[in-house]
Amino acid sequence: KWRVNMQRNETPNSLTNLVDMSDTNDPLYFSFSNPSLKNACQYNADVRLDVKCDSIPLTYWGKVEYNATTNNHGSRRWYNSKTGGYVSMTDNVDGNWNGKASAGLNWQFDKQKRWRLTMDGFLQYHRSVDFALQTVEFDGTPTLEQFHTLTPSPELSTVNSLNTNLRLMLNYKYKLFTAGLLGRVDGRHSRSNREGYQDLDAYEYKYGVNCTYTTPKAFGSFTIATDYNIFVRRGYQSSEINNTTNAWNASISKAFMKGSLVAKLSAYDI
């Protein structure tokens, strides 16, 4: 089964930009409106395919997404090296877009349908563009014409990010007992031409086990659940974030009034 979706949305300008005005009351911070500012337009498109196999209990899917913004509203800023003051104006900037490809499957691979394998993941690229701070030098109260003359071509700050994710779950169910294994890895990578920007190549891992058992009616129909997970972070600039932690949780619960009321006792990070 195919599904295709396409959308276009337009963001109108604020009233403060429709009127030609300026704020120069603070000698260290001037701001200008921009009556020539264009409306920002967002374009979104995605295609998804879902497949269900008739011969075996297997379903899988795939999806591709694309999002882009034209005439995005960014803050254009100047720094006056003579006075130490700043000037700002909202202006249009292009080049912002992101794309994502994802896929997954769900498979009961034994005849008794006790085992289930679930797997999904994605690969996402994100490009973010905004105006970089530009240095100028002038005396007195500035005008927009001065800035356009001093900086005819705005400097752009670009951040390119790549995010990855993979998740795997293996579950077993037999009568009143269920158990599962979980594994997940996330990757974050980013680069930028921005001055002072620190490149990022970080990974986060999570893996663990969980189980649930409901006692028979003769023993009160209590539901006992527990899970144990390990979290690992690597690649961040701060050593405090690069760590390995674990968490063990447990709970016991009982349903009353045909499930309308549930009493539950939980313990976290045992």
Side-chain angles (χ1 to χ4, degrees), residues 4 18 24 35 37 42 44 54 62 110 112 119 188 222 235 244:
V4 180
L18 295 177
T24 58
L37 189 70
Q42 295 85 31
N44 312 101
D54 297 327
D110 66 320
Q112 293 79 18
M119 184 169 59
R188 297 179 176 85
F222 289 93
T244 301

Side-chain angles (χ1 to χ4, degrees), residues 69-75 91-96 129-131 156:
T69 303
T70 60
N71 297 322
N72 194 39
H73 294 174
S75 179
D91 206 350
N92 294 117
V93 60
D94 288 321
N96 289 279
V129 181
D130 204 346
F131 295 104
L156 299 179

Side-chain angles (χ1 to χ4, degrees), residues 10-27:
E10 187 168 333
T11 304
N13 299 329
S14 62
L15 293 176
T16 55
N17 279 311
L18 295 177
V19 181
D20 189 3
M21 59 181 294
S22 61
D23 183 359
T24 58
N25 293 324
D26 187 344

